Amino acid sequence: MEVEVITLFPEMVEQGLSAGVPRIAREAGALRLTTRNPRDYADNRHRTVDDRPFGGGPGMVMQAPPMVASIEAARGIHAEAPVIAMSPQGAPLNQAWLQKLSELPAMILLCGRYEGLDERITPHIDIEISLGDFVLSGGELAAMAIIDGVARLLPGVLGHKDSAKEDSFVEDLLDCPHYTRPASWRGVSVPEVLLSGDHARIRQWRLQQALGATWLKRPDLLGRVTLCDEWEALLADFIEQQQSVRKVQA
């Protein structure tokens, strides 16, 4: 996958993606990352790309000429790549978005700064994506989050082919609990089923725990899931267990 990031802080993006899974993806050739600085397209000797907003008001607005020139230059290399702007007004980023983006051959991520982008840049943007209902200083952290999330979905990047499939939100469910050695620590033992070697039981336990974790922590997600008979029975059993524990504790 080819990813180009248009940003005033290319070193921030490069450094942020120089470790962990993005580094592995880049070294494996699954991900190619480039950056482009809009200051290189500014038409003034100070390389400024922002100015005060018409109509007054606080802050500065990123100017259309250098930003659009950056987009057009990026599209000259990645002709079919969508331009994705990092914006608090965009669609909330979720696992489904990451999956969709991971299937693209290329994408161009546009990072705003200051009070935002001149509205005349908007026709050159295909998609707006948001990390959530809050405002950051710029789009770089959001772009890095997208690249990190996409990198781990690229073929051959993770050590085990099923690793990404078992993450939280893949089936609109949270992940199940995980354990590793030692088998007992400070009086708490790993659930017996995980030591049983019975893969069918382990699969069922993990599914039930994922359903239960979603019910406890993010019940809103269950509204998106169509529960089959098996899932309904597992969740009902989990809820019954939780209620029994609460009665004992009371």
Side-chain angles (χ1 to χ4, degrees), residues 40 47 51 66 68 82 89 113 119-121 124 152 162-163 182 185 213 218 221 224-225 229 237:
D40 295 335
R47 301 178 75 220
D51 208 335
V68 172
Q89 301 176 32
R113 280 269 157 178
E119 187 63 23
R120 290 168 289 187
I121 302 169
H124 301 271
R152 58 197 320 284
D162 291 330
S163 293
W185 182 70
R218 289 290 305 277
L221 292 177
R224 308 178 191 174
V225 180
D229 292 343
D237 182 57

Side-chain angles (χ1 to χ4, degrees), residues 75-124:
R75 275 197 157 142
I77 299 172
H78 312 291
E80 303 300 322
V83 176
I84 304 170
M86 308 298 101
S87 169
Q89 301 176 32
L93 180 64
N94 56 26
Q95 194 65 28
W97 263 114
L98 292 176
Q99 183 62 52
K100 184 184 300 184
L101 296 177
S102 73
E103 296 167 3
L104 296 172
M107 59 182 174
I108 300 165
L109 304 183
L110 180 65
C111 302
R113 280 269 157 178
Y114 315 122
E115 287 298 306
L117 304 173
D118 186 303
E119 187 63 23
R120 290 168 289 187
I121 302 169
T122 301
H124 301 271

